[in-house]
Amino acid sequence: MFCPGISLDVSGRPFVTGGNDAAKLSIYDPAANNWIGGPNMKIARGYQSSTTLSDGRIFTIGGSWSGGEGNKNGEVWSPASNSWSLLPGCPVAPMLTTDAQGIFRSDNHGWLFGWKSGSVFQAGPSKAMNWYTPTGTGAQKPAGLRGTDPDAMNGNAIMYDAVNGKILTVGGAPNYQDIAATRNARIITIGAPGTTASVAAIGSMSQARAFHNSVVMPDGKVFIVGGEAYPVPFSDDTSTLIPEIFNPTTSAFTSGSPMAVPRTYHSWALLLQDATIMSGGGGLCGNCATNHPNAQIYSPAYLFNADGSKAARPTINSISATSVAPGAKITVTMNRAVTSFSLVRYGSATHSVNTDQRRIPLTPTASGLSYTVTVPNDAGVALPGPWMMFAMDSNGVPSIAKTVMVRAA
């Protein structure tokens, strides 16, 4: 499983493809606490990306790091048949970067988003964006360029507002390694599948980064952590210890408290149910000095009062349903008044890619301390699988989340 693609399936199981095992599919069953071997992919892959689709299937593309180089076109796994199907109409060629190391690197780590009508939006790391349609024999259509942003290998793309199709992209480098990373940031807005995406350049990050990770928080802000200014695998020489927080209201970045340990190549970061962020790993290079088999917890500012003391948190006392279909209404009972809710899909992270996380802002209707929210009725927005539901008070302090499973359309 070393250097695979990862997605969470409709039941929340980690779905791990390729890597050192090239064509292998492994699925972790948390109920039985063991791994299940699935059918091999049609094409052996490593460093590919995958994404869960609105109908519960899983799409993958790219991955010339292992299993041979080139022609790593798309394929899709069906839970109904537990089998893979090749998609010759989903070619990898339109999403290649112009990496100095050639195809070995240029089809790696795609920024994939399952979207409406079973479509897939590819936001990067190539400067060319694309739509993929993983039905029948597949189809592909250009979605435009990511503005003036160059290829951004080992950068990040985060859907911080799925209702409005908003994606933040940050950092990355024109080549996989041995070249300066950028401070670039863009906001991509997607709508109907097959249409040209809108791209807006915003103010840059304060730090150039590649090999970093980004995590969307319950309030829609994005936490950007780790990385290197000059990416070199298994090196911490130009590591960035100061995280940044993107504010979608102002489109500005602010700096957070510095880390104690570098988080670069092979690092990861994930949002936890208590609204903190765990950042860990890095290295994995035998006995070298840049191995970091540990993790750190970041507590965002929304968990504190202005004087630095811990803020009192609202509590979700009960929730009317923990397994819902798109379009369902959920009633939440709180211990005290709140003003907003959000759903954040559980994430999976490897090699600066997290195709699972996304956020849905929810506007409640209130009756005393009972609040009703509505899940978006499009499964391409509310992707099937596990989500964290957060409630936030007027000061932006979040509750501890309750898990909600959204069923496939």
Short mmCIF file of all heavy atoms in Angstrom, two decimals, residues 314-321 328-341 362-374 389-394:
data_model
loop_
_atom_site.label_atom_id
_atom_site.label_comp_id
_atom_site.label_asym_id
_atom_site.label_seq_id
_atom_site.Cartn_x
_atom_site.Cartn_y
_atom_site.Cartn_z
N PRO A 314 -20.84 24.90 22.45
CA PRO A 314 -22.21 24.37 22.39
C PRO A 314 -22.18 22.85 22.27
O PRO A 314 -21.19 22.28 21.80
CB PRO A 314 -22.77 25.02 21.12
CG PRO A 314 -21.58 25.33 20.28
CD PRO A 314 -20.46 25.64 21.23
N THR A 315 -23.25 22.21 22.69
CA THR A 315 -23.33 20.75 22.66
C THR A 315 -24.54 20.31 21.87
O THR A 315 -25.65 20.83 22.07
CB THR A 315 -23.42 20.19 24.09
OG1 THR A 315 -22.26 20.57 24.83
CG2 THR A 315 -23.52 18.67 24.07
N ILE A 316 -24.33 19.37 20.96
CA ILE A 316 -25.45 18.74 20.26
C ILE A 316 -26.01 17.67 21.19
O ILE A 316 -25.37 16.65 21.46
CB ILE A 316 -24.99 18.12 18.93
CG1 ILE A 316 -24.48 19.22 17.98
CG2 ILE A 316 -26.13 17.35 18.28
CD1 ILE A 316 -23.92 18.68 16.66
N ASN A 317 -27.23 17.91 21.70
CA ASN A 317 -27.85 16.95 22.61
C ASN A 317 -28.41 15.75 21.86
O ASN A 317 -28.33 14.61 22.34
CB ASN A 317 -28.97 17.62 23.41
CG ASN A 317 -28.42 18.55 24.49
OD1 ASN A 317 -27.28 18.40 24.93
ND2 ASN A 317 -29.23 19.51 24.90
N SER A 318 -29.01 15.99 20.71
CA SER A 318 -29.58 14.90 19.93
C SER A 318 -29.68 15.30 18.48
O SER A 318 -29.68 16.49 18.13
CB SER A 318 -30.97 14.52 20.47
OG SER A 318 -31.89 15.58 20.28
N ILE A 319 -29.79 14.30 17.62
CA ILE A 319 -29.91 14.50 16.19
C ILE A 319 -30.94 13.50 15.67
O ILE A 319 -30.96 12.34 16.09
CB ILE A 319 -28.53 14.34 15.51
CG1 ILE A 319 -28.58 14.70 14.05
CG2 ILE A 319 -27.94 12.97 15.72
CD1 ILE A 319 -27.19 14.83 13.43
N SER A 320 -31.84 13.96 14.82
CA SER A 320 -32.99 13.14 14.46
C SER A 320 -32.65 11.97 13.56
O SER A 320 -33.38 10.97 13.54
CB SER A 320 -34.06 14.01 13.77
OG SER A 320 -33.56 14.54 12.55
N ALA A 321 -31.57 12.06 12.82
CA ALA A 321 -31.19 10.97 11.91
C ALA A 321 -29.69 11.00 11.71
O ALA A 321 -29.09 12.07 11.58
CB ALA A 321 -31.90 11.10 10.57
N ALA A 328 -32.61 15.38 2.57
CA ALA A 328 -33.29 15.10 3.83
C ALA A 328 -33.18 16.28 4.80
O ALA A 328 -32.22 17.05 4.78
CB ALA A 328 -32.69 13.86 4.48
N LYS A 329 -34.18 16.38 5.64
CA LYS A 329 -34.15 17.35 6.74
C LYS A 329 -33.68 16.65 8.00
O LYS A 329 -34.06 15.50 8.27
CB LYS A 329 -35.53 17.97 6.95
CG LYS A 329 -36.00 18.85 5.79
CD LYS A 329 -37.31 19.52 6.13
CE LYS A 329 -37.80 20.36 4.96
NZ LYS A 329 -36.88 21.47 4.64
N ILE A 330 -32.86 17.34 8.78
CA ILE A 330 -32.33 16.81 10.04
C ILE A 330 -32.66 17.81 11.14
O ILE A 330 -32.39 19.02 11.00
CB ILE A 330 -30.81 16.59 9.97
CG1 ILE A 330 -30.45 15.63 8.83
CG2 ILE A 330 -30.29 16.06 11.29
CD1 ILE A 330 -28.96 15.49 8.61
N THR A 331 -33.23 17.32 12.22
CA THR A 331 -33.52 18.17 13.37
C THR A 331 -32.47 17.92 14.45
O THR A 331 -32.19 16.77 14.82
CB THR A 331 -34.92 17.90 13.93
OG1 THR A 331 -35.88 18.18 12.91
CG2 THR A 331 -35.20 18.77 15.14
N VAL A 332 -31.88 19.01 14.92
CA VAL A 332 -30.80 18.95 15.91
C VAL A 332 -31.23 19.71 17.16
O VAL A 332 -31.68 20.85 17.08
CB VAL A 332 -29.50 19.57 15.35
CG1 VAL A 332 -28.36 19.39 16.34
CG2 VAL A 332 -29.14 18.97 14.00
N THR A 333 -31.10 19.07 18.30
CA THR A 333 -31.42 19.73 19.57
C THR A 333 -30.12 20.11 20.27
O THR A 333 -29.21 19.28 20.44
CB THR A 333 -32.24 18.79 20.48
OG1 THR A 333 -33.42 18.41 19.78
CG2 THR A 333 -32.61 19.50 21.78
N MET A 334 -30.03 21.38 20.67
CA MET A 334 -28.82 21.92 21.27
C MET A 334 -29.02 22.20 22.75
O MET A 334 -30.15 22.32 23.24
CB MET A 334 -28.43 23.22 20.56
CG MET A 334 -28.17 23.09 19.07
SD MET A 334 -26.79 21.99 18.64
CE MET A 334 -25.44 22.74 19.59
N ASN A 335 -27.90 22.35 23.47
CA ASN A 335 -27.97 22.73 24.88
C ASN A 335 -28.13 24.23 25.07
O ASN A 335 -28.54 24.69 26.13
CB ASN A 335 -26.73 22.25 25.63
CG ASN A 335 -25.48 23.03 25.27
OD1 ASN A 335 -25.31 23.42 24.09
ND2 ASN A 335 -24.61 23.25 26.23
N ARG A 336 -27.78 25.00 24.03
CA ARG A 336 -27.95 26.46 24.05
C ARG A 336 -28.00 26.97 22.62
O ARG A 336 -27.81 26.22 21.67
CB ARG A 336 -26.82 27.13 24.84
CG ARG A 336 -25.41 26.88 24.34
CD ARG A 336 -24.43 27.58 25.28
NE ARG A 336 -23.04 27.33 24.96
CZ ARG A 336 -22.31 28.01 24.08
NH1 ARG A 336 -22.88 28.99 23.37
NH2 ARG A 336 -21.04 27.72 23.89
N ALA A 337 -28.24 28.25 22.48
CA ALA A 337 -28.48 28.83 21.16
C ALA A 337 -27.23 28.77 20.27
O ALA A 337 -26.10 28.98 20.73
CB ALA A 337 -28.94 30.28 21.31
N VAL A 338 -27.46 28.48 19.01
CA VAL A 338 -26.42 28.52 17.98
C VAL A 338 -26.96 29.29 16.79
O VAL A 338 -28.16 29.57 16.69
CB VAL A 338 -25.96 27.11 17.56
CG1 VAL A 338 -25.27 26.40 18.72
CG2 VAL A 338 -27.12 26.29 17.04
N THR A 339 -26.06 29.63 15.86
CA THR A 339 -26.49 30.43 14.71
C THR A 339 -26.25 29.76 13.37
O THR A 339 -26.85 30.15 12.37
CB THR A 339 -25.75 31.79 14.71
OG1 THR A 339 -24.34 31.56 14.72
CG2 THR A 339 -26.14 32.61 15.93
N SER A 340 -25.38 28.76 13.31
CA SER A 340 -25.09 28.13 12.02
C SER A 340 -24.65 26.69 12.21
O SER A 340 -24.25 26.28 13.32
CB SER A 340 -24.01 28.91 11.26
OG SER A 340 -22.78 28.88 11.97
N PHE A 341 -24.72 25.94 11.10
CA PHE A 341 -24.30 24.55 11.08
C PHE A 341 -23.48 24.31 9.82
O PHE A 341 -23.56 25.07 8.84
CB PHE A 341 -25.51 23.60 11.05
CG PHE A 341 -26.29 23.53 12.33
CD1 PHE A 341 -27.18 24.54 12.68
CD2 PHE A 341 -26.15 22.44 13.19
CE1 PHE A 341 -27.90 24.47 13.86
CE2 PHE A 341 -26.87 22.37 14.37
CZ PHE A 341 -27.75 23.38 14.70
N LEU A 362 -24.73 25.08 6.22
CA LEU A 362 -26.15 24.81 6.41
C LEU A 362 -26.79 25.96 7.16
O LEU A 362 -26.27 26.41 8.19
CB LEU A 362 -26.34 23.51 7.21
CG LEU A 362 -25.80 22.22 6.60
CD1 LEU A 362 -25.87 21.09 7.63
CD2 LEU A 362 -26.55 21.85 5.33
N THR A 363 -27.91 26.45 6.66
CA THR A 363 -28.65 27.52 7.32
C THR A 363 -29.84 26.92 8.06
O THR A 363 -30.72 26.32 7.44
CB THR A 363 -29.15 28.56 6.30
OG1 THR A 363 -28.03 29.09 5.59
CG2 THR A 363 -29.89 29.69 7.00
N PRO A 364 -29.89 27.06 9.39
CA PRO A 364 -30.95 26.41 10.16
C PRO A 364 -32.21 27.26 10.27
O PRO A 364 -32.18 28.49 10.16
CB PRO A 364 -30.31 26.23 11.53
CG PRO A 364 -29.41 27.43 11.66
CD PRO A 364 -28.89 27.69 10.27
N THR A 365 -33.33 26.58 10.49
CA THR A 365 -34.53 27.25 11.00
C THR A 365 -34.69 26.80 12.45
O THR A 365 -34.52 25.62 12.76
CB THR A 365 -35.77 26.87 10.18
OG1 THR A 365 -35.93 25.45 10.18
CG2 THR A 365 -35.62 27.35 8.75
N ALA A 366 -35.00 27.75 13.31
CA ALA A 366 -34.97 27.48 14.75
C ALA A 366 -36.36 27.50 15.37
O ALA A 366 -37.24 28.28 14.96
CB ALA A 366 -34.08 28.50 15.45
N SER A 367 -36.54 26.63 16.36
CA SER A 367 -37.71 26.64 17.22
C SER A 367 -37.21 26.36 18.63
O SER A 367 -36.99 25.20 19.01
CB SER A 367 -38.74 25.59 16.79
OG SER A 367 -39.83 25.55 17.68
N GLY A 368 -36.96 27.44 19.37
CA GLY A 368 -36.31 27.27 20.66
C GLY A 368 -34.90 26.75 20.45
O GLY A 368 -34.12 27.33 19.68
N LEU A 369 -34.57 25.66 21.13
CA LEU A 369 -33.24 25.06 20.97
C LEU A 369 -33.26 23.88 20.00
O LEU A 369 -32.30 23.09 19.96
CB LEU A 369 -32.72 24.60 22.34
CG LEU A 369 -32.47 25.72 23.35
CD1 LEU A 369 -31.95 25.14 24.66
CD2 LEU A 369 -31.48 26.75 22.80
N SER A 370 -34.32 23.80 19.21
CA SER A 370 -34.42 22.79 18.16
C SER A 370 -34.18 23.46 16.81
O SER A 370 -34.83 24.48 16.50
CB SER A 370 -35.79 22.12 18.21
OG SER A 370 -35.91 21.16 17.17
N TYR A 371 -33.30 22.90 16.02
CA TYR A 371 -32.91 23.49 14.74
C TYR A 371 -33.08 22.46 13.63
O TYR A 371 -32.71 21.29 13.79
CB TYR A 371 -31.46 23.96 14.77
CG TYR A 371 -31.18 25.00 15.83
CD1 TYR A 371 -30.94 24.64 17.15
CD2 TYR A 371 -31.15 26.35 15.51
CE1 TYR A 371 -30.69 25.59 18.13
CE2 TYR A 371 -30.90 27.32 16.48
CZ TYR A 371 -30.68 26.93 17.79
OH TYR A 371 -30.43 27.88 18.74
N THR A 372 -33.60 22.90 12.50
CA THR A 372 -33.77 22.02 11.35
C THR A 372 -32.89 22.51 10.20
O THR A 372 -32.91 23.70 9.85
CB THR A 372 -35.23 21.96 10.90
OG1 THR A 372 -36.03 21.47 11.97
CG2 THR A 372 -35.40 21.04 9.70
N VAL A 373 -32.11 21.59 9.65
CA VAL A 373 -31.26 21.89 8.50
C VAL A 373 -31.60 20.91 7.39
O VAL A 373 -32.12 19.82 7.63
CB VAL A 373 -29.76 21.79 8.86
CG1 VAL A 373 -29.37 22.85 9.89
CG2 VAL A 373 -29.41 20.40 9.37
N THR A 374 -31.29 21.30 6.16
CA THR A 374 -31.60 20.47 5.01
C THR A 374 -30.32 20.12 4.27
O THR A 374 -29.54 21.01 3.89
CB THR A 374 -32.56 21.19 4.04
OG1 THR A 374 -33.76 21.55 4.74
CG2 THR A 374 -32.92 20.30 2.87
N MET A 389 -21.17 16.67 11.39
CA MET A 389 -22.05 17.82 11.54
C MET A 389 -21.62 18.66 12.73
O MET A 389 -21.53 18.16 13.86
CB MET A 389 -23.51 17.41 11.72
CG MET A 389 -24.43 18.60 11.97
SD MET A 389 -26.18 18.19 12.05
CE MET A 389 -26.55 18.09 10.30
N PHE A 390 -21.35 19.92 12.48
CA PHE A 390 -20.95 20.88 13.52
C PHE A 390 -22.04 21.94 13.67
O PHE A 390 -22.65 22.36 12.69
CB PHE A 390 -19.65 21.59 13.14
CG PHE A 390 -18.43 20.72 13.12
CD1 PHE A 390 -18.00 20.14 11.93
CD2 PHE A 390 -17.70 20.48 14.27
CE1 PHE A 390 -16.86 19.34 11.89
CE2 PHE A 390 -16.56 19.68 14.25
CZ PHE A 390 -16.15 19.11 13.05
N ALA A 391 -22.24 22.39 14.90
CA ALA A 391 -23.06 23.56 15.21
C ALA A 391 -22.15 24.65 15.75
O ALA A 391 -21.20 24.35 16.50
CB ALA A 391 -24.14 23.21 16.23
N MET A 392 -22.41 25.90 15.38
CA MET A 392 -21.56 27.01 15.81
C MET A 392 -22.40 28.12 16.41
O MET A 392 -23.48 28.44 15.92
CB MET A 392 -20.74 27.54 14.63
CG MET A 392 -19.62 26.59 14.23
SD MET A 392 -19.15 26.70 12.48
CE MET A 392 -20.50 25.82 11.69
N ASP A 393 -21.88 28.69 17.50
CA ASP A 393 -22.61 29.78 18.16
C ASP A 393 -22.28 31.12 17.52
O ASP A 393 -21.56 31.19 16.51
CB ASP A 393 -22.36 29.77 19.66
CG ASP A 393 -20.93 30.13 20.06
OD1 ASP A 393 -20.17 30.68 19.22
OD2 ASP A 393 -20.55 29.85 21.22
N SER A 394 -22.81 32.19 18.08
CA SER A 394 -22.65 33.52 17.49
C SER A 394 -21.21 34.00 17.49
O SER A 394 -20.85 34.92 16.75
CB SER A 394 -23.53 34.53 18.22
OG SER A 394 -23.21 34.57 19.60
#
